[in-house]
Amino acid sequence: MTAPLEARYERLLRVYPAAFRRVHGEDMLTTMLADAGEGRRWPRPGDAADILFHALRQRLFRRPGGGLLDSGWSDACALLGPVLAVVLATLRLTAAARRALSGLSSQWATPPHVLNPGATVLLLAAAWAIVAAAAFAGRRRIAAGLGWVALLIEAVTLLRRFPDDPVAVVYGLWWLALGLVAAVALTAAGPRRPGAVAGRWRLAVLLAAPAVIGAVLAVGGSGLLIDHTRGGYNAFYLQDLPGLRSATSGWGLEGADATQVDLMLLAILVAVVAGSVAVARLPGPVRRRILVAVAPVATLAALVEFGFNGWAVSNVHMGHNIPLVPGQWASLVLLPLLVFLLGLWWVRRRDETMRLAALGAAAERERS
């Protein structure tokens, strides 16, 4: 057995916590060297990926005292990761369908034609759909690996636009943050299936809600329901709502009359309420952790919308890009992180309160 291979395996094993290495490191190293065979100088890619995957889970979940997160997160991540993958696929499919369907509207061309929805958008929709399929099929490692690949594609697609259109990139950071939460959740997911964590009906609602909203936005925003040759139509634009001017620019609903627009708004409202009720009826520990996981994404979206609107408007009117100052970059990173850390503290405190209450109730029953 060659010394370079042993040294490289030892370096890989350093990713594990020190306490874990002291107990299991020697046995793991011996086993991997025995399986490697003679003449090999580099670890197998599969072995390296397996070490990194399990070392990350060990650091996050299984250290004494819970590490950064406690073991209750495994069930929450087992549900959150696949659901967010579906949400991300739906968002991408909505954008693609909206663009494709708009070509069928007489508002855009006569005779109607189909606009190209964009290869990158379709690629990302397919990538997140495959991630979700792998997660629901129980292929946790495959889903986690593909989730990080999809996130990398999302990041490259978004960030390469920064030199030419920094406003669009900053306003799209929440999307990237959502992908990051999905990838981390898929990596940290426990062995339970999403249906076992949430229940079949609640899971069905959580998956149906974004699909309904996406379908309504795609059809209602494409102009497909309007016959522009007859003149006159009703429209409701999301950017007309207070505080939603820039983030939702172009995301509107158009119908031939007010009734169509009202029905589309009602469908979205029903989907949002049904999804919220499904989340509220999840087991308490799972629900609290899911809310903490998505809170940084909501914080980032709100920060950009309300804190960077003036910067975005100035970029448009000045005719050239205005760079962000270090304080603005720091707020984009630190504020969501602070919200997440506060959420972790709240979850631990809440769980400890519930545990002490359960012990007190058990003691009361014994005395009675």
Side-chain angles (χ1 to χ4, degrees):
M1 193 62 57
T2 58
L5 178 62
E6 181 175 356
R8 286 165 181 144
Y9 271 126
E10 286 178 344
R11 283 196 292 271
L12 275 175
L13 290 174
R14 288 174 191 163
V15 182
Y16 281 94
F20 182 89
R21 293 200 308 272
R22 283 194 293 269
V23 177
H24 304 286
E26 195 64 35
D27 292 337
M28 292 177 67
L29 180 61
T30 302
T31 301
M32 288 186 294
L33 291 175
D35 291 342
E38 295 291 338
R40 178 175 290 276
R41 298 179 57 83
W42 290 89
R44 296 188 184 94
D47 290 343
D50 191 64
I51 290 172
L52 295 175
F53 177 82
H54 287 285
L56 177 60
R57 287 179 55 83
Q58 195 71 227
R59 285 190 176 276
L60 289 178
F61 295 99
R62 298 177 182 174
R63 300 176 71 178
L68 177 61
L69 309 174
D70 57 67
S71 58
W73 282 87
S74 61
D75 283 349
C77 290
L79 173 63
L80 183 62
V83 170
L84 286 186
V86 170
V87 170
L88 287 160
T90 302
L91 287 171
R92 287 299 187 181
L93 281 174
T94 299
R98 187 186 182 95
R99 179 171 171 79
L101 291 175
S102 66
L104 301 178
S105 170
S106 58
Q107 176 185 6
W108 296 97
T110 302
H113 67 285
V114 178
L115 295 176
N116 182 4
T120 303
V121 175
L122 292 176
L123 171 64
L124 286 167
W128 286 115
I130 293 171
V131 169
F136 282 111
R139 305 293 186 178
R140 291 185 296 146
R141 295 183 188 177
I142 295 176
L146 292 177
W148 288 106
V149 172
L151 176 62
L152 178 61
I153 299 173
E154 290 274 11
V156 172
T157 302
L158 180 66
L159 297 179
R160 71 180 180 180
R161 299 172 57 190
F162 189 81
D164 299 321
D165 193 359
V167 174
V169 173
V170 171
Y171 274 88
L173 286 177
W174 71 270
W175 195 315
L176 197 61
L178 193 65
L180 176 61
V181 173
V184 172
L186 289 165
T187 303
R192 297 182 69 190
R193 295 290 183 91
V197 176
R200 288 183 297 175
W201 288 109
R202 284 192 288 269
L203 178 61
V205 171
L206 290 173
L207 297 179
V212 169
I213 295 172
V216 172
L217 288 175
V219 175
S222 65
L224 191 63
L225 302 177
I226 303 171
D227 183 1
H228 288 272
T229 61
R230 301 178 61 181
Y233 66 96
N234 286 78
F236 174 86
Y237 293 99
L238 299 184
Q239 63 265 31
D240 292 334
L241 293 174
L244 293 179
R245 293 178 298 278
S246 299
T248 58
S249 179
W251 288 90
L253 301 174
E254 298 176 341
D257 53 45
T259 301
Q260 286 185 354
V261 175
D262 290 343
L263 289 175
M264 288 186 285
L265 287 172
L266 179 61
I268 291 176
L269 179 61
V270 170
V272 170
V273 171
S276 301
V277 170
V279 172
R281 293 177 66 86
L282 291 172
V286 173
R287 180 181 65 251
R288 289 191 289 272
R289 285 161 175 79
I290 286 178
L291 293 176
V292 168
V294 299
V297 181
T299 301
L300 181 60
L303 172 65
V304 170
E305 177 57 39
F306 297 105
F308 286 74
N309 186 259
W311 169 78
V313 172
S314 297
N315 269 272
V316 173
H317 292 290
M318 292 293 291
H320 61 85
N321 294 332
I322 302 174
L324 293 173
V325 300
Q328 290 174 310
W329 284 116
S331 67
L332 289 171
V333 175
L334 296 180
L335 188 58
L337 180 60
L338 177 61
V339 168
F340 179 65
L341 294 176
L342 288 174
L344 289 181
W345 171 81
W346 172 72
V347 163
R348 288 195 174 189
R349 183 171 180 177
R350 177 66 175 172
D351 287 350
E352 183 65 15
T353 300
M354 298 294 290
R355 187 184 69 84
L356 293 176
L359 291 175
E364 285 290 333
R365 286 193 299 268
E366 290 180 0
R367 284 197 295 268
S368 61

